[in-house]
Amino acid sequence: METIRFGDQSVYVEYIQLALSRLGYSVAIDGKFGTNTLRAVLQLQAARGLRADGIVGPRTWALLLPLLRGFTYHTIQSGDTFFRLAKQFYTTVSAIETANPTLTPENLPVGTRIIIPYGFALIPTGVRYTYFLVKLLVEGLRARYPFIRSGSAGTSVMGHNVYYLVMGNGEKEVFYNASHHANEWITTPLILRFMEEYAKAYAEAGTIYGYSALYLYDQCTLFVIPLVNPDGVDLVNGAIPSDSSFYQTALSYAADYPQIPFPNGWKANIEGIDPNLSYPAYWERAKEIKFSQGYTSPAPRDYVGPAPLASPEAAAVYSFTLAHNFLLTLSYHTQGEVIYWRFLDFLPPQSPEIAEAFANASGYLAEETPLQSGYAGYKDWFILTYNRPGYTIEAGSGINPLPLSQFSKIYADNIGILTLGMAETIERL
């Protein structure tokens, strides 16, 4: 981890501030290490027996990381009960029971290390996202809800895992993905927040968007890749040091396309290849269109690469799909508040009907994909290959990257789509 000091400004300062606020310190999450943040760090260090120097180095990060993961470990001592532990750690008995399903509350073996989930919602919506944060959140979801499985579908150019999460035992499989495009990263917390709320509903035998979580879980298996393009998202959100070779190479590509703002206009992977123009769905036609528009070399957006699947991130999603039997897929992008459901003349059974259900749930328009954008995308390849319903959801409105102030509305608009993706698959496919 980077060492962070007074005066620094970065996405990592946002994470420090998030952790401090979860501890009860009054700090604004603005990414600026000012006097209020310094005061909180000093107080935390003094309270935990560290040298109070205001510098967030390895030992101070060690105090903060559990607050970002959303859980801590505790070794059972004589006299411990779930009720006492819930009071001690400001959480609930049910949360501890869910995270430790093999333990019997009436017989807690002394010396056993258990997971204690904190009492706050895990998935934050007030900070920018990076690979570092997503890694912690994947760990947190797995710890809080051990019925969630996870793994890596592959690796990015920079060697980052393309994480996936799995929830459910049903025979019918669906797949959601987010952040193919770097500056559309707000779709990552959208997917992760849904996973957390669905998992919580299942653990409590509750409902989500009016559907029994137990029913969805038993009938359908949900696969999610919340961060397809980790390197590109890191570039947009300032997590790649400006003196690194990856940053400098990306900067040189951006210099060839000065009309695109850097880094906010960056959609591509770190090699300047658009992951969502990398799939073998009339890729050559996509190349003709994008070359005619001037995207003939690595660029912040719209460069198709030298060949299909030249983006390792797209190749990971491609291979992940081939290894499963998905009946329906959702690919999350921004912006436009529109649902694209068709690829050329292919019309998978039930596809328009499900699109209409999505539109009714969200208020978004269900439309056919514009021809200029209708090739070499994941949705296009899925429909072409399987003749099954695949959708691109363009969430929110405005200029990418969309501000986090839109998140609440985006989530409210899309929780129905995210739930119906499973329910409609169960009932129609």
Side-chain angles (χ1 to χ4, degrees):
M1 276 306 306
E2 293 186 13
T3 297
I4 307 295
R5 296 175 169 84
F6 178 74
D8 286 346
Q9 297 186 37
S10 74
V11 67
Y12 295 107
V13 176
E14 293 180 25
Y15 300 157
I16 292 168
Q17 293 167 332
L18 172 63
L20 290 169
S21 67
R22 286 175 166 178
L23 282 170
Y25 293 98
S26 180
V27 293
I29 302 176
D30 59 8
K32 301 175 183 178
F33 200 133
T35 54
N36 285 343
T37 301
L38 176 61
R39 185 181 301 111
V41 170
L42 289 169
Q43 291 174 355
L44 173 65
Q45 290 171 328
R48 300 297 178 90
L50 299 184
R51 178 185 176 191
D53 57 8
I55 298 172
V56 182
R59 296 183 69 188
T60 304
W61 271 116
L63 298 177
L64 299 174
L65 288 178
L67 280 302
L68 301 177
R69 293 190 184 98
F71 72 95
T72 189
Y73 293 104
H74 174 78
T75 300
I76 296 293
Q77 301 173 11
S78 179
D80 277 347
T81 65
F82 281 177
F83 179 75
R84 287 182 180 179
L85 292 173
K87 289 188 65 176
Q88 179 182 344
F89 289 96
Y90 302 97
T91 186
T92 65
V93 169
S94 63
I96 299 174
E97 290 176 334
T98 298
N100 302 276
T102 63
L103 289 182
T104 302
E106 296 79 16
N107 182 27
L108 299 180
V110 173
T112 301
R113 192 171 79 152
I114 67 170
I115 291 169
I116 305 289
Y118 291 121
F120 50 76
L122 173 64
I123 306 302
T125 59
V127 297
R128 290 173 290 169
Y129 270 60
T130 62
Y131 174 75
F132 168 78
L133 180 61
V134 168
K135 182 176 184 293
L136 296 176
L137 297 177
V138 168
E139 294 174 15
L141 285 171
R142 282 290 313 275
R144 286 176 170 230
Y145 303 105
F147 49 81
I148 294 179
R149 292 95 74 192
S150 69
S152 175
T155 54
S156 69
V157 173
M158 295 178 63
H160 292 148
N161 287 313
V162 179
Y163 286 113
Y164 67 82
L165 297 165
V166 187
M167 183 174 159
N169 285 329
E171 181 180 352
K172 295 186 175 183
E173 299 180 349
V174 299
F175 172 48
Y176 304 164
N177 61 77
S179 292
H180 264 87
H181 288 147
N183 64 355
E184 300 173 8
W185 59 264
I186 199 171
T187 58
T188 292
L190 172 66
I191 293 284
L192 289 174
R193 170 55 67 89
F194 177 76
M195 284 294 287
E196 179 177 20
E197 293 198 355
Y198 176 32
K200 187 173 188 291
Y202 174 73
E204 297 175 353
T207 62
I208 187 162
Y209 197 69
Y211 285 87
S212 162
L214 296 176
Y215 165 73
L216 297 174
Y217 187 97
D218 289 340
Q219 299 295 320
C220 186
T221 301
L222 172 62
F223 295 77
V224 164
I225 293 182
L227 184 61
V228 172
N229 184 5
D231 305 346
V233 169
D234 276 6
L235 179 67
V236 169
N237 285 332
I240 300 178
S242 60
D243 59 355
S244 75
S245 60
F246 288 109
Y247 184 96
Q248 290 299 316
T249 300
L251 186 61
S252 70
Y253 295 153
D256 294 332
Y257 297 87
Q259 74 278 15
I260 302 173
F262 181 83
N264 280 358
W266 194 275
K267 296 173 67 176
N269 75 354
I270 202 67
E271 290 185 318
I273 300 173
D274 189 322
N276 206 45
L277 289 171
S278 294
Y279 294 94
Y282 299 106
W283 177 87
E284 294 79 6
R285 179 60 181 142
K287 180 179 178 181
E288 291 175 6
I289 293 171
K290 296 306 178 183
F291 271 47
S292 71
Q293 295 173 349
Y295 299 101
T296 58
S297 62
R301 57 176 293 165
D302 290 337
Y303 174 57
V304 301
L309 302 175
S311 159
E313 299 85 4
V317 178
Y318 171 87
S319 297
F320 187 71
T321 303
L322 291 177
H324 295 92
N325 186 33
F326 301 136
L327 300 181
L328 176 147
T329 65
L330 301 180
S331 298
Y332 264 92
H333 292 257
T334 58
Q335 38 69 33
E337 299 187 344
V338 65
I339 301 161
Y340 293 124
W341 60 273
R342 193 165 182 169
F343 176 56
L344 301 180
D345 292 329
F346 296 92
L347 189 61
Q350 298 296 321
S351 186
E353 291 84 357
I354 295 173
E356 190 63 28
F358 290 165
N360 290 336
S362 63
Y364 288 5
L365 295 176
E367 296 185 354
E368 298 184 18
T369 308
L371 285 178
Q372 293 295 94
S373 303
Y375 303 94
Y378 176 80
K379 179 263 294 176
D380 310 324
W381 170 75
F382 180 78
I383 293 174
L384 174 66
T385 304
Y386 295 99
N387 193 35
R388 294 172 179 173
Y391 304 90
T392 294
I393 314 296
E394 298 282 358
S397 61
I399 298 173
N400 292 328
L402 298 181
L404 283 167
S405 59
Q406 282 200 30
F407 182 84
S408 294
K409 181 178 187 303
I410 289 173
Y411 189 77
D413 290 344
N414 282 276
I415 186 173
I417 295 177
L418 291 161
T419 306
L420 289 173
M422 293 182 285
E424 291 286 321
T425 297
I426 294 167
E427 296 165 8
R428 293 181 183 266
L429 301 179

mmCIF file of all heavy atoms in Angstrom, residues 260-275:
data_model
loop_
_atom_site.group_PDB
_atom_site.id
_atom_site.type_symbol
_atom_site.label_atom_id
_atom_site.label_comp_id
_atom_site.label_asym_id
_atom_site.label_seq_id
_atom_site.Cartn_x
_atom_site.Cartn_y
_atom_site.Cartn_z
ATOM 1 N N ILE A 260 -10.104 13.843 -27.126
ATOM 2 C CA ILE A 260 -10.686 13.043 -26.048
ATOM 3 C C ILE A 260 -10.022 13.449 -24.739
ATOM 4 O O ILE A 260 -8.799 13.365 -24.605
ATOM 5 C CB ILE A 260 -10.471 11.538 -26.300
ATOM 6 C CG1 ILE A 260 -11.088 11.123 -27.638
ATOM 7 C CG2 ILE A 260 -11.072 10.714 -25.164
ATOM 8 C CD1 ILE A 260 -10.783 9.700 -28.042
ATOM 9 N N PRO A 261 -10.794 13.888 -23.748
ATOM 10 C CA PRO A 261 -10.181 14.315 -22.470
ATOM 11 C C PRO A 261 -9.482 13.154 -21.786
ATOM 12 O O PRO A 261 -9.965 12.014 -21.811
ATOM 13 C CB PRO A 261 -11.364 14.835 -21.655
ATOM 14 C CG PRO A 261 -12.571 14.211 -22.275
ATOM 15 C CD PRO A 261 -12.273 14.025 -23.729
ATOM 16 N N PHE A 262 -8.357 13.457 -21.166
ATOM 17 C CA PHE A 262 -7.582 12.434 -20.472
ATOM 18 C C PHE A 262 -7.493 12.790 -18.989
ATOM 19 O O PHE A 262 -7.170 13.929 -18.652
ATOM 20 C CB PHE A 262 -6.174 12.352 -21.065
ATOM 21 C CG PHE A 262 -5.309 11.292 -20.427
ATOM 22 C CD1 PHE A 262 -5.404 9.977 -20.831
ATOM 23 C CD2 PHE A 262 -4.416 11.609 -19.410
ATOM 24 C CE1 PHE A 262 -4.621 8.993 -20.250
ATOM 25 C CE2 PHE A 262 -3.625 10.638 -18.812
ATOM 26 C CZ PHE A 262 -3.729 9.323 -19.238
ATOM 27 N N PRO A 263 -7.771 11.851 -18.083
ATOM 28 C CA PRO A 263 -8.144 10.462 -18.343
ATOM 29 C C PRO A 263 -9.643 10.204 -18.393
ATOM 30 O O PRO A 263 -10.058 9.066 -18.613
ATOM 31 C CB PRO A 263 -7.528 9.743 -17.147
ATOM 32 C CG PRO A 263 -7.687 10.717 -16.023
ATOM 33 C CD PRO A 263 -7.489 12.079 -16.635
ATOM 34 N N ASN A 264 -10.484 11.250 -18.197
ATOM 35 C CA ASN A 264 -11.919 11.024 -18.053
ATOM 36 C C ASN A 264 -12.562 10.411 -19.289
ATOM 37 O O ASN A 264 -13.594 9.743 -19.187
ATOM 38 C CB ASN A 264 -12.627 12.332 -17.702
ATOM 39 C CG ASN A 264 -12.509 12.680 -16.235
ATOM 40 O OD1 ASN A 264 -11.930 11.926 -15.456
ATOM 41 N ND2 ASN A 264 -13.031 13.821 -15.842
ATOM 42 N N GLY A 265 -11.972 10.626 -20.444
ATOM 43 C CA GLY A 265 -12.540 10.078 -21.668
ATOM 44 C C GLY A 265 -12.076 8.674 -21.988
ATOM 45 O O GLY A 265 -12.434 8.127 -23.034
ATOM 46 N N TRP A 266 -11.302 8.083 -21.100
ATOM 47 C CA TRP A 266 -10.705 6.778 -21.370
ATOM 48 C C TRP A 266 -11.731 5.662 -21.165
ATOM 49 O O TRP A 266 -12.274 5.471 -20.092
ATOM 50 C CB TRP A 266 -9.505 6.550 -20.452
ATOM 51 C CG TRP A 266 -8.641 5.400 -20.876
ATOM 52 C CD1 TRP A 266 -8.819 4.088 -20.564
ATOM 53 C CD2 TRP A 266 -7.470 5.468 -21.690
ATOM 54 N NE1 TRP A 266 -7.834 3.328 -21.141
ATOM 55 C CE2 TRP A 266 -6.982 4.147 -21.836
ATOM 56 C CE3 TRP A 266 -6.777 6.512 -22.309
ATOM 57 C CZ2 TRP A 266 -5.841 3.844 -22.572
ATOM 58 C CZ3 TRP A 266 -5.640 6.211 -23.046
ATOM 59 C CH2 TRP A 266 -5.179 4.904 -23.170
ATOM 60 N N LYS A 267 -11.980 4.881 -22.231
ATOM 61 C CA LYS A 267 -12.872 3.723 -22.163
ATOM 62 C C LYS A 267 -12.103 2.408 -22.304
ATOM 63 O O LYS A 267 -12.581 1.348 -21.901
ATOM 64 C CB LYS A 267 -13.922 3.792 -23.272
ATOM 65 C CG LYS A 267 -14.871 4.958 -23.172
ATOM 66 C CD LYS A 267 -15.779 5.080 -24.384
ATOM 67 C CE LYS A 267 -16.760 3.938 -24.499
ATOM 68 N NZ LYS A 267 -17.711 4.123 -25.631
ATOM 69 N N ALA A 268 -10.932 2.465 -22.894
ATOM 70 C CA ALA A 268 -10.189 1.287 -23.317
ATOM 71 C C ALA A 268 -9.508 0.577 -22.153
ATOM 72 O O ALA A 268 -9.539 1.041 -21.009
ATOM 73 C CB ALA A 268 -9.140 1.696 -24.349
ATOM 74 N N ASN A 269 -8.876 -0.556 -22.473
ATOM 75 C CA ASN A 269 -7.969 -1.155 -21.489
ATOM 76 C C ASN A 269 -6.670 -0.363 -21.489
ATOM 77 O O ASN A 269 -6.523 0.618 -22.223
ATOM 78 C CB ASN A 269 -7.773 -2.654 -21.747
ATOM 79 C CG ASN A 269 -6.863 -2.956 -22.932
ATOM 80 O OD1 ASN A 269 -6.432 -2.059 -23.662
ATOM 81 N ND2 ASN A 269 -6.577 -4.227 -23.148
ATOM 82 N N ILE A 270 -5.706 -0.766 -20.701
ATOM 83 C CA ILE A 270 -4.503 0.053 -20.537
ATOM 84 C C ILE A 270 -3.636 0.050 -21.793
ATOM 85 O O ILE A 270 -2.767 0.916 -21.959
ATOM 86 C CB ILE A 270 -3.695 -0.418 -19.303
ATOM 87 C CG1 ILE A 270 -2.765 0.691 -18.789
ATOM 88 C CG2 ILE A 270 -2.932 -1.693 -19.605
ATOM 89 C CD1 ILE A 270 -3.485 1.883 -18.222
ATOM 90 N N GLU A 271 -3.889 -0.893 -22.715
ATOM 91 C CA GLU A 271 -3.165 -0.938 -23.981
ATOM 92 C C GLU A 271 -3.866 -0.175 -25.090
ATOM 93 O O GLU A 271 -3.423 -0.209 -26.244
ATOM 94 C CB GLU A 271 -2.952 -2.388 -24.424
ATOM 95 C CG GLU A 271 -1.969 -3.151 -23.558
ATOM 96 C CD GLU A 271 -1.679 -4.541 -24.078
ATOM 97 O OE1 GLU A 271 -2.629 -5.237 -24.508
ATOM 98 O OE2 GLU A 271 -0.499 -4.940 -24.061
ATOM 99 N N GLY A 272 -4.943 0.536 -24.745
ATOM 100 C CA GLY A 272 -5.635 1.331 -25.743
ATOM 101 C C GLY A 272 -6.545 0.532 -26.651
ATOM 102 O O GLY A 272 -6.900 0.995 -27.741
ATOM 103 N N ILE A 273 -6.971 -0.661 -26.225
ATOM 104 C CA ILE A 273 -7.915 -1.483 -26.974
ATOM 105 C C ILE A 273 -9.255 -1.457 -26.251
ATOM 106 O O ILE A 273 -9.315 -1.658 -25.033
ATOM 107 C CB ILE A 273 -7.423 -2.942 -27.102
ATOM 108 C CG1 ILE A 273 -6.086 -2.993 -27.838
ATOM 109 C CG2 ILE A 273 -8.460 -3.801 -27.820
ATOM 110 C CD1 ILE A 273 -5.455 -4.385 -27.841
ATOM 111 N N ASP A 274 -10.323 -1.224 -26.994
ATOM 112 C CA ASP A 274 -11.653 -1.199 -26.399
ATOM 113 C C ASP A 274 -12.113 -2.633 -26.151
ATOM 114 O O ASP A 274 -12.339 -3.385 -27.098
ATOM 115 C CB ASP A 274 -12.621 -0.494 -27.352
ATOM 116 C CG ASP A 274 -13.975 -0.220 -26.719
ATOM 117 O OD1 ASP A 274 -14.448 -1.077 -25.954
ATOM 118 O OD2 ASP A 274 -14.550 0.841 -27.003
ATOM 119 N N PRO A 275 -12.268 -3.052 -24.885
ATOM 120 C CA PRO A 275 -12.667 -4.438 -24.620
ATOM 121 C C PRO A 275 -14.011 -4.810 -25.223
ATOM 122 O O PRO A 275 -14.232 -5.968 -25.576
ATOM 123 C CB PRO A 275 -12.713 -4.517 -23.090
ATOM 124 C CG PRO A 275 -11.809 -3.426 -22.625
ATOM 125 C CD PRO A 275 -11.991 -2.321 -23.624
#
